[in-house]
Amino acid sequence: MDENLAAIWLTLRLAATVTLVLLLVGTPIAWWLARTRVWFKGAIAAIVALPLVLPPTVLGFYLLLTMGPNGPIGALTQSLGIGLLPFTFWGLVIASCFYSLPFVVQPLQNAFEGIGERPFEVAATLRAGPWDRFASVALPLAKPGFITAAILGFAHTVGEFGVVLMIGGNIPGVTRVVSVQLYDHVEALDYGQAHWLSGALLLFSFVVLFSLYTFNRRASSSVGPRV
Amino acid sequence: MASDTGVPIDAHFTHCYDDFVLDVDLALPAKGVTVLYGQSGSGKTTLLRCLAGLVHAPGGVLSVDGEQWQGDELFVPTHKRPIGYVFQEPSLFEHLTVEGNLNYAQKRVDLADPSDSVLSSNEVIELLGIENLMQRKPNQLSGGEKQRVAIARALFSQPELLLMDEPLASLDTQRKREILPYLEKLRLELKIPIVYVTHSIDELSRLADWVVVLDQGRVVANGSLADVLTALDSPMQLDDAGVVLETTIRSREAQWALMRVSFIGGELLLADNGRAEGETLRVRVDARDISLTLSQHTDTSILNALPATVIEISACPSQDAVLVKLGLGHQSIAALDESKVIDEQSEASRDSSEMLLSRITRRSAEHLALAVGSQVWAQIKSVAVLR
């Protein structure tokens, strides 16, 4: 039971960290994707969306290589004195960021695109410079998109399995998240524990999706772009 | 350049996109309402967006009141231009209340000298009648209310130039009628120039002091309202020939419920609309509502008949009709020529509102043997009071 709670706590910590990082990183990416007209926009959009279709194990495999002792990121972290990232909490965070990136970027991008050009033109005629326009128009008008992105990014990170297994292994309290813990229970034929954990995840997923849909219906009936 | 010639808004733009070409070279007056008139696709909105800096037409030159906004290497971005812009759709910030929208504009204005302000906040709020809307969100407002707030918001940014892009086009007739009086008040109260885009002859007649007619990206007429309306070769003449007269209410004939108004060139009797004596009225007389007689008729039901002299006759495209330009009063041809000379010497000093246009059949023109210099009586069948 303690192990289950440790796994849940680790999972929540991981998901919260990843969500925070992704909102910070994903916002400029989504903003750029929503506004740019450069020819390679499609390529960037495809790369961001890759984790949607790629088996998580493939992503985990490549990340393991790049963050490993012979990979470029591994070389960098070692030279910085951080050591190697695989099989650490922060290794998991980075891997999960890649994995959940599209779930944060796409709602944000849709939200930014849904604002259209007009509010920014209005703001410009009211003396708002580019940064001012972003802060005073884009952010508040994209608020429903931010809420959706945060919920999806968080929930999707909670549910990951393949990437965690590849990059984090199964270290209690460090990388053993709920989904891996569940796998262990089943392998050990400990169905009682497995039921407990599965039921908790099922309830969690339902609550998340339910609140998301409720919120979206409210948001689209009042103001803001629909996502 | 502008300060040298005293031309307040000096704009030169050549801008192409897709198969549309905007090619204008304009000098606009520093005060009053300049109406950019034209059908959709004539480039009037694009021109307005160029003035605002929302469209960057490379190679364009723009100076306003002696200040260069666009030139060789120079392009002042929209947010650094002291303009107010009213879009066709109200475009309020949906996440802010009415008050929030107004504050958005006010917060970003940096007035060194508060007495420079166009109008104080309270004046603007009162002028547009939005006192009771301040705490509402945009989605709780009607279309007309939204547009009034949008106009107020533009004024809150203390513009030195107010640009309006068909502010009434997205509204139904009822709402238009609701807003036009506010625009007319603006025209009287504001010291700053207004550039107003429209394709409505009604809005043009009511608001314009100066008119620029655009067609397919080119300027086809540019002059005072009266000049543009009475130019027989103007594209305005196709359907909507007529003149606009600035009149002053002189006296009442209470027993008939009529009032007598005067303008440069004559007097008219109009239905009493209850306005006070001494107030000004802008009226429109359509060319098709003026018939011509060679002698003064007294046995007619027509109230308003004015002596006039034919200045110019031109054929209408419809073949059956001609358009006759009339100078008011009976004048000799010599006097006409003389006035033309004066006209050329001091174009601005002459008010052409003593002109009328009459649209009659070609048959009638021939029957009356009308020619330049003919002295006639213009019988005015109806006069529309614009404001």
Side-chain angles (χ1 to χ4, degrees):
Chain A
M1 199 61 195
D2 280 350
E3 280 190 347
N4 285 350
L5 289 180
I8 289 175
W9 171 238
L10 174 69
T11 306
L12 294 180
R13 214 153 45 98
L14 175 68
T17 312
V18 168
T19 305
L20 203 66
V21 171
L22 277 184
L23 285 179
L24 291 176
V25 175
T27 302
I29 296 176
W31 176 250
W32 183 82
L33 281 173
R35 311 277 298 177
T36 189
R37 283 191 209 122
V38 298
W39 59 270
F40 55 88
K41 171 186 172 174
I44 303 291
I47 290 171
V48 170
L50 263 184
L52 287 175
V53 290
L54 217 52
T57 42
V58 174
L59 188 66
F61 173 65
Y62 284 122
L63 284 171
L64 187 63
L65 290 185
T66 45
M67 295 200 289
N70 300 320
I73 296 181
L76 180 74
T77 53
Q78 275 178 313
S79 70
L80 289 173
I82 303 171
L84 288 170
L85 286 172
F87 309 108
T88 67
F89 176 73
W90 286 102
L92 268 196
V93 168
I94 290 176
S96 305
C97 280
F98 280 102
Y99 178 60
S100 296
L101 185 65
F103 292 86
V104 172
V105 168
Q106 289 192 346
L108 289 181
Q109 187 185 340
N110 288 340
F112 287 142
E113 282 170 351
I115 296 173
E117 201 56 44
R118 181 51 51 83
F120 298 106
E121 291 187 346
V122 172
T125 66
L126 298 172
R127 318 271 195 281
W131 286 103
D132 189 358
R133 294 202 285 273
F134 179 76
S136 66
V137 178
L139 292 186
L141 284 178
K143 194 170 117 194
F146 275 95
I147 292 174
T148 307
I151 292 176
L152 283 181
F154 189 90
H156 193 247
T157 308
V158 167
E160 71 177 281
F161 178 73
V163 174
V164 176
L165 216 53
M166 293 297 273
I167 211 90
N170 195 356
I171 307 165
V174 179
T175 61
R176 186 187 285 170
V177 295
V178 171
S179 54
V180 177
Q181 176 84 343
L182 177 63
Y183 180 76
D184 281 356
H185 286 322
V186 175
E187 258 205 329
L189 294 179
D190 190 351
Y191 281 21
Q193 295 282 336
H195 266 302
W196 192 90
L197 215 46
S198 299
L201 271 186
L202 189 67
L203 188 68
F204 168 77
S205 307
F206 175 78
V207 168
V208 164
L209 289 179
F210 178 73
S211 54
L212 184 63
Y213 287 130
T214 312
F215 172 79
N216 259 357
R217 208 178 38 244
R218 249 206 357 248
S220 62
S221 68
S222 57
V223 292
R226 195 186 184 118
V227 271
Chain B
M1 181 164 58
S3 50
D4 294 343
T5 57
V7 174
I9 302 174
D10 193 45
H12 176 81
F13 292 108
T14 315
H15 182 55
C16 313
Y17 57 82
D18 300 335
D19 54 354
F20 175 78
V21 182
L22 177 73
D23 187 5
V24 297
D25 195 356
L26 274 177
L28 303 178
K31 59 185 178 83
V33 178
T34 297
V35 166
L36 302 182
Y37 177 84
Q39 297 311 308
S40 52
S42 58
K44 51 194 194 305
T45 293
T46 306
L47 175 57
L48 199 72
R49 290 173 64 83
C50 285
L51 294 179
L54 293 171
V55 167
H56 184 180
V61 179
L62 172 65
S63 63
V64 176
D65 204 12
E67 235 171 280
Q68 194 88 6
W69 286 4
Q70 190 174 344
D72 298 334
E73 299 282 295
L74 177 80
F75 182 78
V76 178
T78 301
H79 67 274
K80 297 211 169 120
R81 299 185 182 196
I83 54 164
Y85 199 107
V86 179
F87 291 84
Q88 187 170 340
E89 319 79 41
S91 312
L92 297 180
F93 294 124
E94 298 281 328
H95 62 293
L96 299 174
T97 59
V98 169
E99 193 173 22
N101 271 277
L102 298 178
N103 285 341
Y104 190 99
Q106 195 163 38
K107 266 195 310 213
R108 287 164 173 78
V109 179
D110 178 25
L111 265 194
D113 180 4
S115 66
D116 282 351
S117 67
V118 178
L119 286 173
S120 77
S121 316
N122 288 336
E123 282 173 321
V124 171
I125 290 169
E126 197 187 325
L127 185 68
L128 289 153
I130 54 174
E131 302 93 335
N132 300 323
L133 310 176
M134 299 302 275
Q135 300 311 322
R136 299 222 203 134
K137 280 284 189 95
N139 58 9
Q140 297 168 306
L141 301 177
S142 74
E145 288 170 335
K146 280 187 198 171
Q147 198 58 292
R148 267 150 58 197
V149 174
I151 294 168
R153 186 178 60 180
L155 294 176
F156 262 62
S157 65
Q158 302 295 345
E160 289 165 27
L161 170 65
L162 183 60
L163 306 170
M164 304 180 98
D165 182 11
E166 306 212 38
L168 304 185
S170 63
L171 306 173
D172 57 42
T173 317
Q174 194 64 35
R175 297 275 163 275
K176 275 187 188 135
R177 259 190 233 132
E178 170 196 323
I179 294 208
L180 262 168
Y182 292 104
L183 293 179
E184 283 163 354
K185 270 198 278 175
L186 272 189
R187 174 180 168 272
L188 295 175
E189 305 255 331
L190 287 185
K191 290 166 281 184
I192 56 168
I194 301 175
V195 180
Y196 187 101
V197 164
T198 187
H199 65 263
S200 148
I201 190 78
D202 183 43
E203 287 167 43
L204 176 137
S205 304
R206 289 176 69 152
L207 299 171
D209 298 307
W210 192 266
V211 178
V212 175
V213 184
L214 287 164
D215 187 38
Q216 299 188 334
R218 282 168 199 285
V219 176
V220 289
N222 178 17
S224 72
L225 175 65
D227 284 347
V228 170
L229 285 181
T230 55
L232 292 190
D233 57 350
S234 140
M236 317 277 296
Q237 308 307 358
L238 294 180
D239 309 306
D240 297 309
V243 294
V244 169
L245 304 173
E246 300 283 353
T247 68
T248 311
I249 303 174
R250 290 299 174 202
S251 59
R252 305 201 117 77
E253 298 195 357
Q255 69 198 101
W256 310 116
L258 294 174
M259 56 186 183
R260 190 174 292 277
V261 302
S262 71
F263 61 100
I264 305 171
E267 281 190 338
L268 294 171
L269 276 172
L270 305 180
D272 195 337
N273 65 358
R275 301 268 288 270
E277 285 168 29
E279 276 193 56
T280 57
L281 276 188
R282 188 179 261 210
V283 301
R284 181 178 162 86
V285 184
D286 283 332
R288 69 171 82 87
D289 288 333
I290 297 187
S291 59
L292 302 179
T293 58
L294 290 180
S295 58
Q296 182 173 19
H297 289 200
T298 47
D299 53 345
T300 168
S301 65
I302 299 262
L303 273 180
N304 296 302
L306 299 169
T309 307
V310 175
I311 294 175
E312 199 180 339
I313 301 175
S314 86
C316 285
S318 59
Q319 296 291 319
D320 63 325
V322 294
L323 209 51
V324 183
K325 190 201 270 193
L326 303 163
L328 283 172
H330 284 160
Q331 343 178 346
S332 66
I333 295 185
L336 268 180
D337 284 342
E338 212 166 277
S339 80
K340 219 179 233 170
V341 174
I342 296 167
D343 200 18
E344 278 159 11
Q345 279 168 350
S346 58
E347 185 105 37
S349 70
R350 192 184 131 97
D351 194 320
S352 355
S353 63
E354 65 235 46
M355 304 255 209
L356 291 175
L357 287 181
S358 166
R359 183 187 163 110
I360 56 174
T361 60
R362 200 153 51 84
R363 184 178 186 276
S364 303
E366 202 136 325
H367 177 66
L368 298 179
L370 288 187
V372 173
S374 298
Q375 309 209 327
V376 296
W377 288 83
Q379 296 196 314
I380 302 171
K381 213 157 59 189
S382 81
V383 177
V385 175
L386 298 173
R387 59 161 189 254

